[in-house]
Amino acid sequence: MSARKTLQAKPEEGDKYSVLLPTYNERENLPLIVWLLVKYFEESGYNYEIIVIDDGSPDGTLEVAVQLQNIYGGDKILLRPRPTKLGLGTAYIHGMKHATGNFIFIMDADLSHHPKFIPEFIAKQKEGDYDLVSGTRYRGNGGVYGWDLRRKLISRGANFLTQVLLRPGASDLTGSFRLYKKKVLESLVERCVSKGYVFQMEMIVRARQLNYTVGEVPISFVDRVYGESKLGGNEIVSFVKGLLTLFVTT
């Protein structure tokens, strides 16, 4: 069995990476994802900050985040909570206002996205000076682990429909593990009108329209260990409606 080749770019002076972590009921997962982020950033030597945007989690996620800030320091862990759930897109906008990095990572806080891939994202971005780098489950040695057949079929079907209707030039549109140049993310968020799971898809479609360059890194997506998935029937219906809207308007 061959080991996965790990790519790492030499840290460049002046570059800083802001990680946006929108959270809702992630009390158990947050300490683990933050520990892993700190580990891989520190080992790689990159300048970074982690911005936690909690939307009024009733499980005490914010209280855990405060403890993590005390452990790792206020310069590395920034808390920018909101009183209630206001959507993923607005969470990114809120986080960007406080981000001091010139690059921004977006990822899930539920351990579905492993921080071990961060050095590969950065190396890929440097390789082609890409405007954004997207994690893909559907190319190279990327994959999905822990999903039942129904969830895999939904994901594959959604991605197939998106490829056929929108021809986006990227292999995984519904994933949410990405690295953006800050100015590019700001430009895309201003133009996106979708909410929920369609938001990530629209970001890639708008990037293509604006001729932004997109790189891809194969990733392993692992289903959440703690907590419940937020994908339900309403989200699937919203996805189909959003896909059709993008097909008509882009």
Side-chain angles (χ1 to χ4, degrees):
M1 183 183 294
S2 61
R4 182 188 180 103
K5 184 179 180 181
T6 300
L7 302 175
Q8 182 173 321
K10 183 179 179 181
E12 293 188 16
E13 189 175 350
D15 282 343
K16 184 175 182 179
Y17 297 87
S18 301
V19 181
L20 304 187
L21 280 184
T23 59
Y24 187 78
N25 286 348
E26 299 292 357
R27 178 186 179 90
E28 292 92 350
N29 293 315
L30 190 61
L32 294 172
I33 192 70
V34 167
W35 181 80
L36 287 166
L37 282 166
V38 171
K39 168 183 165 63
Y40 284 100
F41 272 115
E42 293 286 349
E43 288 179 355
S44 302
Y46 299 115
N47 192 12
Y48 71 97
E49 63 185 1
I50 301 167
I51 304 176
V52 179
I53 306 124
D54 186 66
D55 275 3
S57 297
D59 73 340
T61 297
L62 183 57
E63 287 76 8
V64 171
V66 170
Q67 295 176 39
L68 292 170
Q69 186 181 58
N70 292 334
I71 293 170
Y72 297 107
D75 60 327
K76 294 301 183 187
I77 310 294
L78 284 70
L79 309 182
R80 297 296 181 263
R82 304 189 296 176
T84 187
K85 288 187 76 172
L86 298 171
L88 195 59
T90 58
Y92 292 147
I93 294 171
H94 184 67
M96 279 191 297
K97 289 178 182 177
H98 304 281
T100 60
N102 55 324
F103 289 94
I104 294 182
F105 273 99
I106 63 170
M107 62 190 301
D108 293 345
D110 62 3
L111 299 174
S112 296
H113 300 141
H114 201 298
K116 69 181 179 182
F117 295 110
I118 279 177
E120 294 182 44
F121 274 75
I122 295 173
K124 187 67 174 181
Q125 192 282 322
K126 300 298 182 190
E127 174 188 301
D129 191 28
Y130 291 107
D131 294 308
L132 72 99
V133 177
S134 180
T136 176
R137 299 161 289 182
Y138 304 125
R139 235 177 224 176
N141 53 0
V144 176
Y145 302 91
W147 278 0
D148 58 20
L149 181 60
R150 171 183 169 275
R151 187 81 186 270
K152 287 182 178 179
L153 288 174
I154 290 172
S155 178
R156 281 284 187 179
N159 206 60
F160 175 76
L161 281 174
T162 303
Q163 295 291 340
V164 170
L165 294 178
L166 303 180
R167 301 187 183 280
S171 63
D172 190 346
L173 270 75
T174 55
S176 53
F177 192 0
R178 294 176 186 166
L179 169 62
Y180 291 87
K181 292 180 179 178
K182 184 179 181 182
K183 291 181 179 179
V184 170
L185 182 57
E186 289 172 337
S187 173
L188 290 173
V189 167
E190 284 177 2
R191 290 168 171 79
C192 286
V193 297
S194 304
K195 296 180 180 179
Y197 291 89
V198 184
F199 177 82
Q200 302 292 2
M201 181 172 64
E202 185 178 357
M203 293 280 278
I204 293 289
V205 174
R206 300 295 178 194
R208 181 203 63 190
Q209 286 183 324
L210 296 170
N211 294 317
Y212 287 135
T213 53
V214 181
E216 291 190 314
V217 169
I219 62 167
S220 301
F221 178 95
V222 181
D223 197 20
R224 61 166 54 241
V225 177
Y226 300 109
E228 296 180 357
S229 171
K230 299 172 181 69
L231 177 65
N234 291 336
E235 285 75 16
I236 295 171
V237 171
S238 296
F239 172 83
V240 173
K241 288 181 178 178
L243 174 60
L244 294 175
T245 299
L246 286 176
F247 176 67
V248 172
T249 59
T250 60

